[in-house]
Amino acid sequence: ANFYGNEEWEAIYGVSGAGRAFSYDGFYLRHIYTGLAEEIDKPRHVVFFQHHLGLGYKAGNLSMSVLGEPENFSGELGASSWDVGDPVTGLVRMNGSTLGIACKDSINSLTGSSLDDFSVRCINPYEGAIEYTVTDIGKPIYCSYKGISLFEQTAAYGDYLGVRLSAAITSWLVPRLQGRVPP
């Protein structure tokens, strides 16, 4: 992501789930300190959203950096943290100002563009995503233990409906996703 609009300041931002988030600008590798204790500051998912760096944690929370400052997680300066109460399994930008927060047993969304108007809500309390299967292929897609699904926006602004992309192969796919087919 290029937070600063300057080609010379481009950097990559990453997470491993084993330690702190990091940034690399081609010269320096820096750890990102969010203010959490080192033993729990182990984000598993990262996203560039509305000029914030978002970090998703297994504990079920999402931390958003200060607007335009990906390495600054000071709450006094506008960073925020949101608890969704379910382990985060993926993050994906959706239409407009919506961030999809896929969790183990639910799908949530964060809407807005800054601390002043961010809002979290559950958009599917009945199905979650398998970790690391959430991505954007031109449309947000995820895999659950029920199949592969797309998010399609409904007529009501901001509402999303899971559309099962794998419906035609459900009888073959679902047992494999659920680990009921011997290797």
Side-chain angles (χ1 to χ4, degrees), residues 40-147:
I40 60 172
D41 193 2
K42 298 177 181 179
R44 300 175 66 88
H45 304 279
V46 62
V47 68
F48 172 66
F49 176 70
Q50 301 292 81
H51 297 285
H52 297 268
L53 183 70
L55 303 174
Y57 293 84
K58 186 175 185 175
N61 63 305
L62 170 71
S63 292
M64 300 297 284
S65 74
V66 172
L67 179 68
E69 297 183 38
E71 297 179 31
N72 186 344
F73 283 82
S74 170
E76 294 174 344
L77 299 175
S80 57
S81 186
W82 304 92
D83 186 10
V84 291
D86 192 3
V88 176
T89 58
L91 301 170
V92 66
R93 287 181 291 177
M94 299 170 83
N95 291 340
S97 60
T98 303
L99 174 68
I101 308 166
C103 298
K104 182 177 177 233
D105 296 317
S106 63
I107 306 289
N108 299 278
S109 68
L110 174 74
T111 55
S113 59
S114 69
L115 179 60
D116 296 330
D117 66 348
F118 277 148
S119 175
V120 173
R121 71 183 184 106
C122 186
I123 58 177
N124 186 344
Y126 305 109
E127 177 177 84
I130 297 171
E131 192 158 30
Y132 303 116
T133 65
V134 179
T135 193
D136 185 344
I137 59 167
K139 294 181 179 183
I141 187 172
Y142 67 97
C143 185
S144 73
Y145 292 108
K146 298 176 185 176

Side-chain angles (χ1 to χ4, degrees), residues 11-33:
I12 62 168
Y13 300 89
V15 296
S16 67
R20 296 185 189 278
F22 60 88
S23 70
Y24 179 68
D25 64 6
F27 300 100
Y28 301 102
L29 178 69
R30 292 183 299 280
H31 286 226
I32 298 173
Y33 296 88

